[in-house]
Amino acid sequence: MAVYDFDLGIIGGGAAGLTAAAGGARLGAKTLLIEREPHLGGDCLHFGCVPSKTLIATAKVYHTMRNAQQWGLPAVDPGPVDFTRVAERIRGVIARIQRHDSPQRFCQLGAKVVFGAPEFIDEHSLRVNGETFSAEKWLVATGSSPAVPNIPGLKDTFYLTNRDLWSLDELPESLIILGGGAVAVEMAQAFQRLGSSVTILQRSRQLLSNEDADIAGMVAAKLRQEGVSVRLNAHVTTVGEAFGQKEVWFADDTGMQRLVRAKALLVAMGRAPNVTGLGLHNAGVAYTEKGVPTDRRLRTSSTDIYAAGDVLGKWQFTHAAGYEAGVALTNAVARLPRKANYQFMPVATYCDPELAGVGMTYRQARAADLDVTTHVQPFAENDRALAENTPDGVIKMVVDSQGQVLGVRILGPRAGDLIGEWVTVLSGGVRLSKLAQSVHPYPTLGEINRRAAGEYLAPKVFEGVAPKLLKVIFGLKGRACELPGSQEAAKG
C-alpha cells in the first residue's frame, strides 16, 4: 500500500479550498493547503465579493446623503468623493476578514499552508517551490480570473478588471463597462452613485441574461433612473485610446456604428477558470478552457482528484464553492457517496434594490415545457419598505399547476436575506399554506414572503366553495357594504 505525505492536498486558498482545509483537518485528515497568491482568501476576499460589497455600501450611504430630502431631512451637499479614502476603507475591511483566513488559524486547526505555484507530477504528487508533496486525495480549487474577450484594440488599451478596480488613485470622471452581468450592474450603480458618469455596453437584449425579461427590465430602469446609460444589443467592434480617453466603437441594434468615450474602461464579461500551469495533464485530469468536468460526486477524470468552486466553470458564487467543497470533502475524506445537487442553489446580485432568486425562472420553466403561472407581489404594499423609503421591486413566484412553487425571484430591499426563507421552503418541500399561516414580526420586510403565499392562495379560499358552504350551514348574510357605483349597489 502506497504511503503519502498527506491524506488530503488542496490547491487554492479561496472559498472552496478554505472550507475543505478546515473541514478536512477537523475530521482528522492530515491536510495540505497550497495557495499561489501571497495571502489566503482567494478572489472573493481580495478582488471580488468583499471589496465590491464594501464599495456598494459606501456608495449607498453617499447616495442616501445626497437624497436626504426624500426622508424629510434637510438637503445635504456631502462634497465630492475622495476615492483614496474609499479604497482605504475597502482595504481595512479586507484586512479584518483576512485575520480569519490566516495560515496561523489553519495551522491551529491542523492544516499546513504553503504559498507558491504548484504543478502536478503525477496523480498523487506535485512540486511547489522546488519541493515535492504527495497526498492520497487532491482537491483542485484554483478559482477563476476575469475573462478578457478578443476585441480588436483591447489588448493595446489600458483597461480595468475586478482585480485592479480597487487600487484606483481617484474616482474616474467617466466609466465604460463592457458586460451586463452581476459585476457590471453592481459596479455601474456604485460608481454612478459616487459621481462617475457610467455607460454599460451589453451585447444581449437585456441585462442579467439568465433572468426573466421583466425582472431584468426593472433593474435596467432603476440604473437609468439614477443616470447610468444602458446600451443593449451593443456589439463592441473596436477599442482604443485618444486624447486621454478610452474609445469604444460598437454596433447598435440597427447595425449602425456608435462611439462612446470615457476616462476609464472596465471589462466585466464573465470569468475564466484557472486551469493553466497546474500540470493537470500530468495527473490525468481532463479540462477545457471552460473548466474541469466532474461527476456529481465532484470527481475528475483522475480517480483520486476532486474539483470544486469556480474552476468547475458552473456556479461561480462563493456560497456555491463552499457547498461544493463540502460535497468533495464528504467523498474524499469521509468516503461517503454524496452527490452535488444544484436544484435549490440561490443566486444574488447586490444592486439596489437587490435581486436574489432560487429555483427556476419563468423562462426556464416554459423552456422545460412546464405548465406554470406566476404571482407577483410588489414591495410597495409592504409597510416596512414604505417606512424605509424602499418601495421599489417585487417578489415573483413561479408556480406549477399543482400549486408547487418551482422558483422565486425577489427584486427588493435585502433580497439576498429574504431569499433564505424560500430556499428552506423549496428544498424542504414546505407547502405554501404553511408559509401563508406562519407568523412574521410586524413591520418587517420578511412579511412579503408570507403575504405573497397568502395572496396566491386567497382566490382558492375566498372565491371557492368555502363562502357558499358557510352561508348555507351557518346562515351568513354576506356583504354589509357596497361602494356607490358598483354593480351590486346598482342591483339594489
Side-chain angles (χ1 to χ4, degrees), residues 24 98 122 145 190 198 243 256 267 285-286 291 376 389 402 405 431 475:
Q98 178 72 63
D122 55 41
S145 299
V198 180
F243 305 107
M256 183 174 292
V267 176
V285 176
V376 176
N389 194 32
Q402 303 302 313
V405 180
R431 297 178 64 85

Side-chain angles (χ1 to χ4, degrees), residues 288-371:
T288 70
E289 61 180 11
K290 294 183 179 180
V292 177
T294 66
D295 62 13
R296 290 187 60 191
R297 292 171 61 180
L298 300 186
R299 296 175 297 189
T300 69
S301 56
S302 187
T303 307
D304 293 320
I305 301 179
Y306 295 75
D310 281 14
V311 75
L312 298 181
K314 296 179 180 178
W315 294 81
Q316 295 179 334
F317 298 98
T318 297
H319 53 274
Y323 166 74
E324 289 165 344
V327 173
L329 188 66
T330 302
N331 285 282
V333 175
R335 314 294 172 94
L336 298 175
R338 181 183 176 189
K339 296 180 179 179
N341 183 350
Y342 299 99
Q343 184 178 1
F344 303 116
M345 179 65 67
V347 298
T349 299
Y350 296 95
C351 47
D352 182 17
E354 292 180 0
L355 172 59
V358 63
M360 305 179 81
T361 63
Y362 178 76
R363 186 173 64 186
Q364 290 169 337
R366 293 300 298 145
D369 201 27
L370 299 175
D371 181 14

Side-chain angles (χ1 to χ4, degrees), residues 147-151 177-181 200-209 230-236 250-253 267-271:
V148 180
N150 185 22
I151 299 174
I177 301 179
L178 304 186
I200 288 181
L201 298 180
Q202 164 68 328
R203 54 192 165 186
S204 68
R205 64 179 182 272
Q206 68 175 57
L207 297 179
L208 304 171
S209 300
V230 180
R231 306 298 299 266
L232 304 176
N233 293 308
H235 300 274
V236 177
F250 68 96
D252 64 16
D253 51 3
V267 176
M269 301 182 71
R271 309 283 299 177

